Amino acid sequence: MKEDFIEMLRYYIQRPGIENIIRWLESTDFFMAPASTKYHGAYPGGLVQHSINVFMRLIGKCVDVQEGTKVETIAIVALLHDVCKTNSYKPKEIEQERGQQVIRYEYDNKLPIGHGEKSVILIQRHMRLTDEEITAISWHMGAFDTRVKGGSKELSQVWERYPLAFLLHIADMEATWLDERRSGDV
């Protein structure tokens, strides 16, 4: 999975800094991290699988809906939208479930600055992003974003100005709820 993911990054993203991103990801637990504590992709390698699933969902949407969006931009926002989760999941316990050992995780966020915002900051430490990419990654949680829960009215403006942000959110939800098993699913 790691090799496939790195190959995708190199193939689709030609922007200066991509090799820095790859080196940084290799220095983290990105390739072995779960995507969540107990929901989608709650197993070792779930985060990288989720990122690939989001890319596959988003590339189809952009071809059908958002003509003109660069494949490089699609790859950046889909494959890197959840880098904020690196080094944040710690194994809590191993349980027996349906005759299989299942690792349970706890979330320990060392840089609590907002989910999408954190991904943007971490990426920009290594590679510049466009305004569209920043906005799509920053708002990929859609109505689940804490800014919306706190009363922000910006989400509709974001989706109107940058349809890619809406499409990334939908691709993320589809990958989460349609493509990925939950912890304990067989």
Side-chain angles (χ1 to χ4, degrees):
M1 188 70 56
K2 175 182 175 179
E3 293 77 21
D4 293 339
F5 186 84
I6 291 172
E7 185 176 320
M8 290 174 79
L9 289 175
R10 286 185 173 136
Y11 181 80
Y12 291 111
I13 304 170
Q14 303 301 309
R15 190 169 303 171
I18 191 58
E19 290 302 321
N20 295 336
I21 292 272
I22 292 168
R23 280 190 298 278
W24 171 68
L25 290 174
E26 290 179 317
S27 76
T28 71
D29 69 349
F30 179 83
F31 297 102
M32 287 306 300
S36 70
T37 57
K38 61 183 177 182
Y39 302 106
H40 70 105
Y43 53 86
L47 180 55
V48 70
Q49 182 62 60
H50 171 70
S51 301
I52 292 170
N53 291 345
V54 172
F55 173 77
M56 299 307 289
R57 289 280 183 171
L58 185 59
I59 196 82
K61 290 181 182 335
C62 288
V63 167
D64 294 340
V65 178
Q66 180 87 8
E67 288 187 30
T69 301
K70 292 181 180 180
V71 173
E72 181 177 63
T73 288
I74 295 165
I76 288 168
V77 303
L79 295 173
L80 301 175
H81 76 283
D82 270 348
V83 297
C84 58
K85 295 180 177 184
T86 58
N87 299 326
S88 295
Y89 291 99
K90 305 296 179 230
K92 181 170 67 169
E93 58 191 337
I94 298 177
E95 296 179 0
Q96 285 291 336
E97 194 171 283
R98 298 182 191 169
Q100 296 181 8
Q101 286 191 333
V102 177
I103 301 171
R104 301 287 182 216
Y105 295 92
E106 62 185 358
Y107 189 68
D108 182 21
N109 188 358
K110 304 276 192 259
L111 186 60
I113 56 173
H115 184 77
E117 301 94 315
K118 182 177 174 183
S119 286
V120 167
I121 290 166
L122 292 172
I123 295 164
Q124 291 216 115
R125 288 180 176 175
H126 308 282
M127 180 177 70
R128 289 187 53 93
L129 297 172
T130 67
D131 289 350
E132 180 182 38
E133 293 160 354
I134 290 168
T135 306
I137 294 168
S138 179
W139 283 96
H140 79 267
M141 294 297 292
F144 299 103
D145 191 286
T146 55
R147 291 170 288 188
V148 174
K149 291 179 178 182
S152 172
K153 307 285 190 230
E154 292 179 329
L155 185 59
S156 59
Q157 294 170 343
V158 166
W159 286 351
E160 185 176 332
R161 184 166 185 179
Y162 296 107
L164 180 63
F166 174 74
L167 295 174
L168 177 60
H169 171 66
I170 297 301
D172 189 25
M173 292 295 99
E174 287 177 342
T176 297
W177 293 101
L178 302 177
D179 299 335
E180 297 158 16
R181 70 176 175 85
R182 310 292 175 266
S183 176
D185 287 353
V186 178

